[in-house]
Amino acid sequence: MYTYTEFDRAFLAERNAQFRAQVERRIDGSLTEDEFRPLRLMNGLYLQLHAYMLRVAIPYGTLNPDQMRKLAEVADRWDRGYGHFTTRQNLQYNWPRLRDVPDMLDALAEVGLHAIQSSGNTIRNVTTDHFAGAAADEIADPRPWAELIRQWSTDHPEFQFLGRKFKIAVTGSAHDRAVTRFNDLGLRLVRRGEEIGFEVTIGGGLGRTPMIGKVLRDFLPQADLLPWLEAVLTTFNLAGRRDNKYKARIKILVHEQGLDTLRKQIERHFALIRPAWRGADQTHLARIAADFAPPRFRSAPLDGFHRARDTDPAFRSWTDTNLTRHRHPEHAIVTISLKPHGGTPGDATSGQMRVMADLAERYSHGELRISHQQNVILPHVHRSDLPAIHAVLKRHGLATANAGLISDIIACPGMDYCALATARSIPVAQQIAARFHELGLEHEIGPLQIKISGCINACGHHHVGHIGILGLERAGVETYQVTLGGDSSEEATIGERTGPGFSAEEIVPAIERLIMAWLDLRRNSGETFLQTYRRLGAAPFKAALHSRPQEVRPPAHAA
Amino acid sequence: MQRPFTPKVVTASDLLIGDVIYLAADDSWVRELSRAEVITDEAHAQLRLLHAEGQQDRVVGPYLAEVAIGENGPEPVHFREEFRRCGPSNLRHGKREHAERPAERSCA
Ligand code: HEM
Ligand code: SF4
């Protein structure tokens, strides 16, 4: 992991002192809310429906055990003893008090964490593949570049007041687990001969006008990365619209001006600034990369692992769903599910955070990751350690065997917390998960991604859910609109709307009808929901959703 | 014909805590909707809102929220105001910590 230099620590301390003074001036009345708002947002502080909310950046989703323990301590000391992990690999505290926030930030700074640019019209926390450095299918670990981008973008004087926020995601694998196509700028490591470079996509985004990123460069030499990014951001800063907040993202610029025009402007600026980049960034990158050297993977007998699988069905089921292939054959990547059936997706208590920190220290070379699916990852686990890990997880309510299944739902905070929401999303997620658990069908259903947002801003990624649910208000009540066929992977697809929405009481039964109908439609038990949808199109699915409940036969598998 | 004025309360977020507060008739800020001043006159509503907006060092984002008059006094008309009155539905935090208060019992 990246280790802070004296410079980094001094920068963070100064920034926190600055914000402390701003908070004091707000409290004594010398700053109005209008003056204070952009300042607090730049430091991750929102005002939500019931309280302030502090969003802590977890750069590219990587944490060490001390950082996780600090997150727990801050939750206990200044919040309500828990945190909410988000789709942008951040952590949100839902109950901080204004006066306490500077102390919270100082505490976080002790372990190199901060909330800078986790909000506001700036370059946001860079996200990446949560399996980076561990995945078997990776060209290279993308995190050194992600860290380079973080350092370049943090407090970059030219990009503190952009027309709108700007999100960058990086992945090192062909299989895109970082949703790069739906970020303002997506970077995918590619190989050309001996050389490593980036495929650059631009103008992706969700929100009210979802768009898939378009290829701006099919091969950007990696030494050109920062000057190229700077050229993109300068172009956006100058040409992007500022007259209308809903048209201010770069996706609109790409859409209105066309990719070629934009590329020309970027290239012109790039030619201008490239000579000034003399290689200091590359020297620095080498120092960063050294911090990300892969751990030394050990070899050990696997008998215990196989024995546990043969004798303990719960362990077997958990290893079937929550493990991913590691680059080292005796190791595995473990997904710790923060989706207990009926729980709030992405929440972890301080106690659970400490347990995960201890497990990472003992069994995962001191590394934890936060996934955009709102789960926690132990990236480097030797398989012989899995039975011990599972036993600990079980004791702390963290052993739910559902990674990638129907109850592994992404949900934004919705109207339970968010001031912008038009409907709730958490209770819908809770009810769907509980219902399919009760039916005992999740494993039979197999891989299926449900994603729920509480308004059109799409923080819950509903456009790219295999099943997307969008909470809206219609005639004074919560209404849920369903989209189908979305995909956040390299096969980037925006889900299709299925017709009129459902009330809060109708939405869970509607999803149940949909799934029951699909179970009858699929070719065999190996065909996923998304595959059937692609094979047959929307019609039979829409029919199931909108058929009146009494016309549907009772579920064959109901308990 | 002019539409009749529907009853309102002044509501905002507390500057220090960030929680939902309401303006009472005695000019204090209270945490229960049931204790808020119910305003039935348009001109008076504007005056009360101005009064709230002048308190930059105490409240954030004051506005007029529509209410209906029920058994326990004012009740929210819109479901968003119901969530603001009651707190989040997934955890007993915020206003839900005080669900024992008689006037807030209606929060399930
Ligand atoms: C709770 C306070 C939050 C507020 C006020 C908020 C606000 C917004 C807004 C206004 C947008 C639309 C931006 C645009 O289209 O220009 C947006 C998009 C987005 N937010 Fe949030 N959000 C919140 C929480 C979250 C959370 C909890 C997550 C992660 C779970 C998240 C992740 C995202 C993502 C992924 C997008 C869509 C991607 C994009 O187009 O940028 N946000 N948010
Ligand atoms: S999608 Fe809407 S409701 Fe959900 S967190 Fe984003 S802004 Fe809030």
Side-chain angles (χ1 to χ4, degrees), chain A residues 35 89 149 193 222 278:
Chain A
E35 290 162 335
Q89 303 181 304
I149 294 169
Q222 59 103 359
R278 306 245 176 81

Side-chain angles (χ1 to χ4, degrees), chain A residues 227-279:
Chain A
W228 181 263
L229 284 182
E230 190 157 304
V232 170
L233 265 298
T234 300
T235 306
F236 170 55
N237 213 8
L238 291 173
R241 290 180 59 167
R242 287 173 192 261
D243 59 323
N244 179 343
K245 157 175 170 184
Y246 301 119
K247 305 215 160 157
R249 295 287 288 270
I250 200 169
K251 62 188 172 188
I252 304 294
L253 194 62
V254 173
H255 185 68
E256 288 183 348
Q257 300 206 345
L259 192 62
D260 293 334
T261 313
L262 196 65
R263 188 187 291 117
K264 269 192 211 115
Q265 293 175 36
I266 293 168
E267 271 166 6
R268 204 177 312 131
H269 193 72
F270 176 74
L272 205 66
I273 62 169
R274 184 64 182 90
W277 290 78
R278 306 245 176 81

Side-chain angles (χ1 to χ4, degrees), chain A residues 48 55 92 411-415 417-425 452-462 470-471:
Chain A
Q48 295 283 83
R55 182 184 288 163
Q92 297 187 172
C412 79
M415 202 177 272
Y417 298 91
C418 179
L420 303 177
T422 42
R424 286 174 298 171
S425 40
I452 311 177
S453 306
C455 83
I456 192 67
N457 287 325
C459 302
H461 288 193
H462 67 274
L470 165 62

Side-chain angles (χ1 to χ4, degrees), chain A residues 26 32-33 47 49-52 80 82 95 97-99 344 415-417 419 422 424 427 473 476-478, chain B residues 13-20 56-57 59-60 78-80 83-84 86-91 93-94 97:
Chain A
R26 176 69 186 100
T32 64
E33 186 60 20
L47 182 55
L49 219 48
H50 313 292
Y52 286 96
R80 301 285 159 106
Y82 77 105
W95 304 97
R97 295 179 174 222
L98 182 56
R99 228 186 258 289
T344 303
M415 202 177 272
D416 285 307
Y417 298 91
T422 42
R424 286 174 298 171
E473 175 193 333
V477 292
E478 291 169 294
Chain B
S13 301
D14 178 88
L15 172 67
L16 294 179
I17 302 181
D19 62 342
V20 174
Q56 279 281 345
D57 56 346
V59 306
V60 184
H78 193 280
F79 64 87
R80 183 176 193 271
F83 291 122
R84 288 183 77 244
C86 288
S89 56
N90 64 327
L91 292 166
H93 289 156
E97 282 162 351

Side-chain angles (χ1 to χ4, degrees), chain A residues 70-369:
Chain A
K70 187 60 80 174
L71 290 174
E73 182 193 319
V74 169
D76 281 338
R77 209 160 148 203
W78 291 289
D79 207 84
R80 301 285 159 106
Y82 77 105
H84 177 72
F85 290 102
T86 81
T87 50
R88 286 200 42 81
Q89 303 181 304
N90 293 315
L91 177 110
Q92 297 187 172
Y93 292 114
N94 283 326
W95 304 97
R97 295 179 174 222
L98 182 56
R99 228 186 258 289
D100 293 337
V101 173
D103 293 339
M104 296 168 82
L105 291 175
D106 282 347
L108 292 166
E110 289 168 19
V111 292
L113 288 173
H114 60 75
I116 299 168
Q117 290 173 214
S118 65
S119 177
N121 293 332
T122 53
I123 301 171
R124 298 292 190 86
N125 183 28
V126 181
T127 53
T128 190
D129 183 356
H130 41 275
F131 297 159
D137 60 357
E138 189 171 78
I139 291 174
D141 186 343
R143 289 175 302 160
W145 287 282
E147 174 60 31
L148 188 69
I149 294 169
R150 168 167 83 131
Q151 295 191 16
W152 161 82
S153 63
T154 300
D155 212 28
H156 192 302
E158 189 180 339
F159 307 134
Q160 292 302 294
F161 293 92
L162 296 169
R164 199 78 179 91
K165 57 175 126 172
F166 197 90
K167 298 178 179 175
I168 302 176
V170 200
T171 177
S173 300
H175 178 41
D176 186 356
R177 287 173 289 257
V179 204
T180 63
R181 291 283 175 138
F182 294 96
N183 274 261
D184 295 280
L185 194 113
L187 295 167
R188 199 155 62 83
L189 278 172
V190 285
R191 210 189 283 281
R192 183 180 275 181
E194 289 297 286
E195 207 191 344
I196 284 183
F198 294 96
E199 179 198 71
V200 185
T201 52
I202 195 156
L206 298 167
R208 65 185 61 222
T209 26
M211 291 195 191
I212 300 173
K214 299 179 177 67
V215 178
L216 183 66
R217 285 286 299 261
D218 57 4
F219 190 87
L220 177 71
Q222 59 103 359
D224 286 346
L225 179 66
L226 288 189
W228 181 263
L229 284 182
E230 190 157 304
V232 170
L233 265 298
T234 300
T235 306
F236 170 55
N237 213 8
L238 291 173
R241 290 180 59 167
R242 287 173 192 261
D243 59 323
N244 179 343
K245 157 175 170 184
Y246 301 119
K247 305 215 160 157
R249 295 287 288 270
I250 200 169
K251 62 188 172 188
I252 304 294
L253 194 62
V254 173
H255 185 68
E256 288 183 348
Q257 300 206 345
L259 192 62
D260 293 334
T261 313
L262 196 65
R263 188 187 291 117
K264 269 192 211 115
Q265 293 175 36
I266 293 168
E267 271 166 6
R268 204 177 312 131
H269 193 72
F270 176 74
L272 205 66
I273 62 169
R274 184 64 182 90
W277 290 78
R278 306 245 176 81
D281 59 322
Q282 293 303 303
T283 315
H284 191 59
L285 176 66
R287 129 116 167 85
I288 294 173
D291 279 348
F292 288 94
R296 233 183 258 252
F297 300 117
R298 72 192 162 96
S299 223
L302 292 172
D303 317 349
F305 167 70
H306 293 300
R307 208 173 317 115
R309 262 182 70 84
D310 290 343
T311 54
D312 177 355
F315 177 72
R316 188 184 189 91
S317 163
W318 179 76
T319 54
D320 281 343
T321 47
N322 291 37
L323 301 185
T324 306
R325 208 154 70 83
H326 193 276
R327 56 197 269 194
H328 185 277
E330 283 179 29
H331 285 67
I333 304 171
V334 173
T335 296
I336 301 175
S337 169
L338 297 185
K339 317 288 176 67
H341 300 106
T344 303
D347 277 7
T349 65
S350 55
Q352 289 175 326
M353 291 182 207
R354 288 191 193 94
V355 166
M356 294 188 281
D358 292 349
L359 287 175
E361 195 156 69
R362 179 123 188 242
Y363 300 113
S364 183
H365 296 269
E367 271 199 52
L368 295 142
R369 307 287 174 75

Side-chain angles (χ1 to χ4, degrees), chain B residues 5 8-12 23-24 27 29 37 39 41-65:
Chain B
F5 182 76
K8 304 270 192 310
V9 296
V10 175
T11 181
L23 185 60
D27 281 356
W29 289 93
E37 174 189 11
I39 308 168
D41 172 79
E42 170 106 59
H44 185 57
Q46 291 308 323
L47 276 177
R48 297 301 280 160
L49 183 58
L50 275 175
H51 175 71
E53 282 170 351
Q55 300 180 46
Q56 279 281 345
D57 56 346
R58 171 82 178 83
V59 306
V60 184
Y63 63 94
L64 293 167

